[in-house]
C-alpha cells in the first residue's frame, strides 16, 4: 500500500512537493470527515466509501478529478481560472495558483450530492 509520504517523495521538484503537500493538507483541514486513500496508485478522498475527489501529480501539473458531474456543475468557474479540462478532470499547472475556494465548492457539492450514495462512482449519466 502506498503512503502519502511515498507519493509526495516521488515528485521531483521541491516546490512541487510543497504545493502538493499544501493542497492535501488544506483539504484535510477543511474536510476532516474525508478519508484519504490510495486506489489505482493515486491519492483520493472518499466519504462513506464513495469517491469525492482525487489529485494526481504529473511532471507538468496536478490533475483534479471531481467526476463528470463536478466538471459540469463548475464548468464556468474552472474555465474562469484558466484550468484546462477533460471530460472528468481539469489540470492545475505547477506554476498556476490553486483556487482553493473552487476546490472546496466542488468537494462540498460532491459531499452534498453523494451523502448516501450507494456506489463508489456516480452512474454514467450523472
Amino acid at each position: 500500500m502506498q503512503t502519502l509520504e511515498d507519493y509526495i517523495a516521488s515528485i521531483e521538484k521541491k516546490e512541487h512537493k510543497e504545493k502538493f503537500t499544501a493542497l492535501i493538507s488544506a483539504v484535510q483541514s477543511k474536510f476532516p470527515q474525508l478519508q484519504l486513500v490510495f486506489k489505482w496508485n493515486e491519492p483520493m478522498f472518499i466519504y462513506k466509501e464513495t469517491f469525492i475527489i482525487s489529485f494526481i501529480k504529473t511532471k507538468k501539473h496536478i490533475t483534479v478529478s471531481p467526476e463528470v458531474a463536478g466538471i459540469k456543475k463548475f464548468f464556468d468557474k474552472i474555465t474562469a481560472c484558466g484550468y484546462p479540462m477533460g471530460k472528468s478532470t481539469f489540470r492545475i499547472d505547477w506554476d498556476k495558483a490553486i483556487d482553493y475556494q473552487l476546490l472546496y465548492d466542488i468537494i462540498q457539492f460532491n459531499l452534498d450530492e453523494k451523502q448516501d450514495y450507494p456506489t463508489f462512482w456516480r452512474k454514467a449519466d450523472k
Side-chain angles (χ1 to χ4, degrees):
M1 181 164 114
Q2 191 168 28
T3 67
L4 180 60
E5 293 77 20
D6 291 337
Y7 191 82
I8 291 171
S10 71
I11 299 172
E12 293 180 17
K13 293 184 178 180
K14 181 182 178 203
E15 61 270 20
H16 296 176
K17 288 179 186 190
E18 291 169 355
K19 188 171 194 166
F20 197 87
T21 300
L23 170 60
I24 297 299
S25 294
V27 171
Q28 289 175 318
S29 178
K30 182 80 172 170
F31 298 96
Q33 71 272 40
L34 297 180
Q35 179 184 6
L36 178 65
V37 299
F38 280 83
K39 293 183 183 284
W40 303 283
N41 296 317
E42 64 186 60
M44 57 182 62
F45 287 96
I46 64 171
Y47 181 70
K48 294 184 179 178
E49 302 302 318
T50 191
F51 176 85
I52 301 299
I53 198 164
S54 70
F55 302 101
I56 306 155
K57 50 95 179 156
T58 73
K59 284 189 181 241
K60 295 183 179 185
H61 57 262
I62 299 169
T63 299
V64 181
S65 178
E67 291 186 289
V68 174
I71 295 293
K72 286 180 179 178
K73 172 81 174 167
F74 294 95
F75 181 87
D76 291 340
K77 290 182 181 182
I78 296 167
T79 301
C81 289
Y83 299 147
M85 283 179 277
K87 183 178 178 182
S88 63
T89 65
F90 63 92
R91 299 182 307 277
I92 304 171
D93 291 342
W94 287 114
D95 62 349
K96 295 265 295 182
I98 295 173
D99 185 329
Y100 282 98
Q101 190 58 57
L102 171 62
L103 294 178
Y104 297 158
D105 291 347
I106 291 170
I107 292 167
Q108 191 61 58
F109 165 73
N110 279 341
L111 277 169
D112 293 344
E113 188 172 272
K114 295 180 79 178
Q115 188 65 239
D116 295 310
Y117 212 76
T119 60
F120 190 74
W121 303 108
R122 281 183 176 89
K123 292 184 169 129
D125 62 336
K126 288 278 186 171

